[in-house]
Amino acid sequence: MDPQIYGLAFFFLLVVPSVTALPHKTTSSSSQPQINSNSVLVALLDSHYTELAELVEKALLLQTLEEAVGRHNITIFAPKNEALERELDPEFKRFLLEPGNLKSLQTLLMFHILPSRIGSRNWPDEKSGSRKHNTLWNDFVHLSSKSTKRLIGSAEIFRPDDITRPDGVIHGIERLLVPRSVQEDFNRRRNLRSISAVLPQGAPEVDPRTHRLKKPAAPVPAGAPPILPIYDAMAPGPSLAPAPAPGPGGAHRHFNGERQVKDFIHTLLHYGGYNEMADILVNLTSLATEMGRLVSEGYVLTVLAPNDEAMAKLTTDQLSEPGAPEQIIYYHIIPEYQTEESMYNSVRRFGKVKYDTLRLPHKVTAQEADGSVKFGTSDGSAYLFDPDIYTDGRISVQGIDGVLFPEEETPTVKKPAAVKVVTKPRRGKLMEVACRMLGAVGQDSHFTTCQ
Ligand SMILES: *[C@@H]1O[C@H](CO)[C@@H](O)[C@H](O)[C@H]1NC(C)=O
Ligand SMILES: *[C@@H]1O[C@H](CO)[C@@H](O)[C@H](O)[C@H]1NC(C)=O
């Protein structure tokens, strides 16, 4: 096959799925300039810089780049494959590939692209010193020369003008360029992890009667875990109600953790198959608000999110107790930061592991099964089904394929006749039952999601 035609086919194979994954952007596709098979982007995807090409695809950046080459020439600094494989810190690579860190990955890649064509002949020579160039990210790089070597920052261009096309040029570089903001995000994540593994030293005393600190807490290093147990920070008693109605002027309270909770719920919705969980957190209960508050106060959380299929199996009996939705969800929140890897390592090492949950005093059991992590007991168990849906250092969301109940409450198997089989309702069953209950107590005025 003609290499250019092959390139085009390859390009569309990659572009089309990523475009359809972003439906809000497809509307502009008709007005977009046609991508030329001779484009530097097609050449990149077809080149020997396969690691970079793969990352660009994973970062869902193709459409952005396609639009960029429609407007102007570009210069791509392509790290050689080894720089993204063996030579890259595996922890950093994992960080970049976590779905919750998509923004960091995009920032990193855009930092390798200039919105203009700089061929090797346009390079500043040694006498003229270094020259600043804007990148596609809101940041700049320095180009310079050292005798015959051309440099970007301190990285050497080992294949200048490796690929040239009418709309741009690709230079091979010997290593990955890491913009400061991404390095900082990564460091913050790593510090959080190591700090949360260390007990706070000289922790202030907690008054056992009031459960408050006896003395004002000494300033703790940023990112250190709070001193009081999470249970003391939780809102008193669950209530079946959505987030408090906005005050005068519709003002919502704002806090840092709110952003992270929003992010994870957005990720959950985007991921697909977890709409009920998202709906419960946001619309049915005030749990999203509560989680945001806890995270702002420095607590970390791992959410075991049952998927929609699992939620659909809940029976009306399991849901109709007052506060049942909150209790069910609280049992799925672990007041620790755990990832698939950390949980899998623990169950591999210890066999059975018990995690605290926000539903005191109940713990959830985890063990290894079939090369994965299985939670709960034989009757009501769930597998870790979609690992690391969201992980940002404070909140971790792990998809599971069942709804868990504390052991002593494992629902006894009902006679089949007692379980009404419902075809999948428009909204989740939890919503349906909750709406009925709220309607019965005349609370539906604030609860616009019940129709
Ligand atoms: C890219 O540069 C070439 C000349 O180097 C120019 O002819 C072409 O119009 C430029 N493309 C865009 C989209 O500006
Ligand atoms: C909350 O309810 C609204 C209105 O029904 C809906 O559009 C939205 O998607 C729901 N939120 C979540 C997170 O499911």
Side-chain angles (χ1 to χ4, degrees), residues 233-236 255 286-295 301 330 358:
M234 281 166 65
F255 39 79
S286 52
L287 286 175
T289 314
E290 171 77 352
M291 289 173 75
R293 194 176 57 75
L294 292 172
V295 170
L301 302 170
Y330 273 145
L358 289 194

Side-chain angles (χ1 to χ4, degrees), residues 265 269 275 278-280 282-283 426-427 431 448-449 451:
I265 286 172
L269 288 173
N275 296 341
D279 211 15
I280 291 164
V282 174
N283 282 333
R426 190 181 60 85
R427 288 300 275 277
M431 282 303 271
T448 49
T449 50
Q451 296 303 336

